[in-house]
Amino acid sequence: PLTTACSLTFVVCSPDGSYVAAGGSDGTIFVWNARSGKLEHTVQSLKAPICSVAWHPSGHQIVVAHTDKNVQIWE
Protein backbone atom coordinates (compact mmCIF):
# COMPACT_ATOMS: atom_id res chain seq x y z
CA PRO A 1 0.00 0.00 0.00
CA LEU A 2 1.07 3.54 -0.74
CA THR A 3 1.32 5.71 2.37
CA THR A 4 1.03 9.37 1.49
CA ALA A 5 2.25 12.53 3.14
CA CYS A 6 -0.91 14.59 2.77
CA SER A 7 -4.50 14.09 3.79
CA LEU A 8 -5.52 14.47 0.13
CA THR A 9 -3.20 12.92 -2.45
CA PHE A 10 -3.39 13.06 -6.21
CA VAL A 11 -1.94 10.77 -8.82
CA VAL A 12 -0.99 12.39 -12.10
CA CYS A 13 -1.12 10.99 -15.62
CA SER A 14 1.72 11.55 -18.06
CA PRO A 15 0.88 13.86 -20.98
CA ASP A 16 0.37 10.90 -23.32
CA GLY A 17 -1.69 8.97 -20.76
CA SER A 18 0.72 6.02 -20.66
CA TYR A 19 1.91 6.41 -17.06
CA VAL A 20 0.59 7.44 -13.65
CA ALA A 21 2.85 8.85 -10.92
CA ALA A 22 2.45 9.49 -7.19
CA GLY A 23 4.71 10.22 -4.24
CA GLY A 24 4.90 8.45 -0.89
CA SER A 25 5.46 9.50 2.69
CA ASP A 26 8.96 7.94 2.66
CA GLY A 27 10.10 10.11 -0.29
CA THR A 28 9.61 7.41 -2.92
CA ILE A 29 8.24 8.26 -6.36
CA PHE A 30 6.02 5.55 -7.86
CA VAL A 31 5.32 5.27 -11.60
CA TRP A 32 2.75 2.79 -12.94
CA ASN A 33 1.94 1.76 -16.48
CA ALA A 34 -1.59 3.10 -16.97
CA ARG A 35 -2.57 0.41 -19.46
CA SER A 36 -1.38 -2.66 -17.54
CA GLY A 37 -1.53 -1.29 -13.98
CA LYS A 38 1.99 -2.65 -13.42
CA LEU A 39 4.38 -0.70 -11.19
CA GLU A 40 7.13 0.26 -13.65
CA HIS A 41 9.53 2.37 -11.57
CA THR A 42 10.23 3.47 -8.04
CA VAL A 43 12.75 6.19 -7.29
CA GLN A 44 13.92 7.04 -3.80
CA SER A 45 14.22 10.81 -3.72
CA LEU A 46 14.83 12.87 -0.59
CA LYS A 47 13.84 11.29 2.70
CA ALA A 48 11.16 13.95 3.20
CA PRO A 49 7.57 13.00 2.39
CA ILE A 50 6.29 13.95 -1.06
CA CYS A 51 3.25 16.20 -1.13
CA SER A 52 2.95 16.88 -4.87
CA VAL A 53 4.00 15.35 -8.20
CA ALA A 54 3.64 16.80 -11.71
CA TRP A 55 4.74 15.69 -15.19
CA HIS A 56 6.61 18.06 -17.49
CA PRO A 57 4.59 18.57 -20.71
CA SER A 58 7.26 16.60 -22.64
CA GLY A 59 6.50 13.54 -20.50
CA HIS A 60 10.21 12.95 -19.85
CA GLN A 61 10.51 14.67 -16.47
CA ILE A 62 8.66 14.57 -13.17
CA VAL A 63 8.70 17.46 -10.72
CA VAL A 64 8.37 16.48 -7.07
CA ALA A 65 7.63 18.78 -4.11
CA HIS A 66 8.51 17.63 -0.61
CA THR A 67 7.04 18.67 2.72
CA ASP A 68 10.43 20.13 3.71
CA LYS A 69 10.00 22.76 0.93
CA ASN A 70 12.48 21.13 -1.48
CA VAL A 71 11.63 20.55 -5.13
CA GLN A 72 13.32 18.01 -7.40
CA ILE A 73 13.20 17.28 -11.11
CA TRP A 74 13.60 13.65 -12.25
CA GLU A 75 14.18 12.38 -15.77
Side-chain angles (χ1 to χ4, degrees):
L2 176 64
T3 304
T4 60
C6 303
S7 59
L8 181 62
T9 302
F10 297 95
V11 296
V12 291
C13 291
S14 62
D16 66 0
S18 296
Y19 296 96
V20 177
S25 63
D26 64 351
T28 302
I29 303 164
F30 299 88
V31 179
W32 292 270
N33 182 305
R35 289 175 178 73
S36 70
K38 179 183 173 192
L39 181 62
E40 296 276 329
H41 303 284
T42 59
V43 178
Q44 181 64 48
S45 62
L46 298 174
K47 295 285 185 192
I50 296 172
C51 60
S52 184
V53 177
W55 287 90
H56 184 277
S58 72
H60 298 289
Q61 295 175 317
I62 296 175
V63 178
V64 179
H66 295 269
T67 57
D68 66 357
K69 301 180 183 176
N70 280 301
V71 175
Q72 292 180 299
I73 300 174
W74 292 90
E75 291 194 44

